[in-house]
Amino acid sequence: MSYVEPPQFVTKMIDAGETKVFMSTRDTVIRAYMAGAILALAAAFAVTITVQTGNALVGAVLFPVGFCLLYLMGFDLLTGVFTLVPLALLDKRRGVTIRSILRNWGLVFVGNFLGALTVALMIAITVTYAFTVDPNEVGQKLGEIGTSRTVGYADHGAAGMLTLFIRGVLCNWMVSTGVVAAMMSTSVTGKVITMWMPIMLFFYMGFEHSVVNMFLFPSGLMLGGDFSVADYFIWNEIPTVVGNLVGGLAFVGLTLYATHARTGIEWNRPADPTDFKLPAEANA
């Protein structure tokens, strides 16, 4: 596992953000669609494992397989572009504007949502024999998750909304750390190991990921969850998106950029090393 130093991988972050801004609409949507679909499959996999084993930790340990696959195939999640794309604007890359950033975010959101929705429908079909029987245990669990993480927050009012937002912040702090961690290595093994750890952490802790939720809540609605589409958007997706944006950009993108791409001037460092003298020498 070859380690890439922070100044080098932060440059890679900025370059990646610039590349995503100028990607064609076609490529952006396709890559986002596949990312949403693969992450949704990983979420379904993790829920299935949790139901069958009765151990949420096992599901969390294995969930990152989806994230690693989509990253290695060059697909894009909304949580990742929230962190990387603005860095190209901060670095004053030519042609990068706020409008182009918003365009990228919008296209990735649409692609992720369509991909996750496709898998939600497929999973709902598989756990109900095409809606001809009641959902199996996994299907029932998906419905319960949707209810508890929408109406469950609404029951607490403003405190529930704040909790939801903070969980979104914490989620993308970890997910974006996973995106960046993959840039720290030049080997596939190194990338997978470094990605795995923060993704496992966010999933087990129950933090809110906007793209995972694009699968969990539509599938929950299809499988009898006791909540509405309005509940989903107001009491989960929209606050989660905002929290993911703040968490990824503030705690990962901006902090790394500020200290590794635009480092501060060292205080009191002599221009010429020969000018440096120990205090005792200076007083001699």
Side-chain angles (χ1 to χ4, degrees):
M1 172 177 166
S2 299
Y3 174 61
V4 178
E5 296 288 341
Q8 283 70 53
F9 71 68
V10 171
T11 299
K12 292 172 67 175
M13 291 169 62
I14 301 166
D15 292 341
E18 181 182 21
T19 299
K20 295 178 191 304
V21 165
F22 296 116
M23 195 182 301
S24 70
T25 298
R26 168 186 171 277
D27 290 343
T28 302
V29 173
I30 290 174
R31 295 183 190 190
Y33 179 91
M34 292 306 302
I38 292 172
L39 199 68
L41 281 169
F45 174 54
V47 171
T48 301
I49 292 170
T50 300
V51 169
Q52 292 180 349
T53 65
N55 190 335
L57 179 59
V58 179
V61 168
L62 296 175
F63 168 75
V65 64
F67 183 87
C68 293
L69 287 173
L70 71 88
Y71 181 91
L72 292 173
M73 288 189 282
F75 299 145
D76 289 326
L77 291 173
L78 185 64
T79 44
V81 297
F82 274 166
T83 300
L84 299 177
V85 171
L87 301 185
L89 180 67
L90 288 175
D91 207 55
K92 299 180 180 179
R93 296 295 176 93
R94 186 176 179 181
V96 179
T97 63
I98 293 177
R99 181 179 178 180
S100 65
I101 290 173
L102 294 177
R103 167 189 169 274
N104 173 263
W105 288 353
L107 291 173
V108 172
F109 180 94
V110 170
N112 284 170
F113 191 85
L114 292 175
L117 186 62
T118 300
V119 173
L121 177 59
M122 289 178 173
I123 294 297
I125 290 171
T126 64
V127 300
T128 61
Y129 282 88
F131 303 102
T132 60
V133 299
D134 291 336
N136 63 15
E137 280 188 288
V138 173
Q140 292 171 23
K141 183 63 175 179
L142 288 169
E144 292 169 7
I145 290 171
T147 303
S148 66
R149 289 167 66 170
T150 52
V151 178
Y153 287 123
D155 287 344
H156 294 278
M161 185 64 75
L162 177 61
T163 300
L164 172 57
F165 169 75
I166 295 299
R167 286 181 176 174
V169 170
L170 291 168
C171 172
N172 208 25
W173 185 351
M174 290 296 96
V175 173
S176 291
T177 297
V179 171
V180 173
M183 299 181 182
M184 298 176 186
S185 174
T186 57
S187 71
V188 172
T189 302
K191 289 178 182 293
V192 168
I193 291 172
T194 53
M195 280 188 282
W196 206 280
M197 295 180 287
I199 303 305
M200 176 179 62
L201 188 158
F202 110 74
F203 196 84
Y204 184 71
M205 293 293 291
F207 298 152
E208 298 285 353
H209 190 285
S210 54
V211 183
V212 171
N213 292 352
M214 291 174 187
F215 160 74
L216 290 176
F217 295 91
S219 62
L221 284 168
M222 296 177 199
L223 295 167
D226 188 18
F227 63 101
S228 66
V229 173
D231 289 331
Y232 161 52
F233 279 102
I234 296 171
W235 285 101
N236 194 284
E237 190 64 39
I238 294 173
T240 296
V241 166
V242 177
N244 287 171
L245 172 59
V246 173
L249 191 55
F251 289 99
V252 182
L254 292 180
T255 51
L256 286 168
Y257 181 84
T259 193
H260 289 302
R262 288 288 178 270
T263 54
I265 299 172
E266 275 195 65
W267 179 75
N268 205 28
R269 180 176 180 174
D272 184 350
T274 59
D275 292 341
F276 178 77
K277 294 181 179 180
L278 294 173
E281 295 173 326
N283 293 331

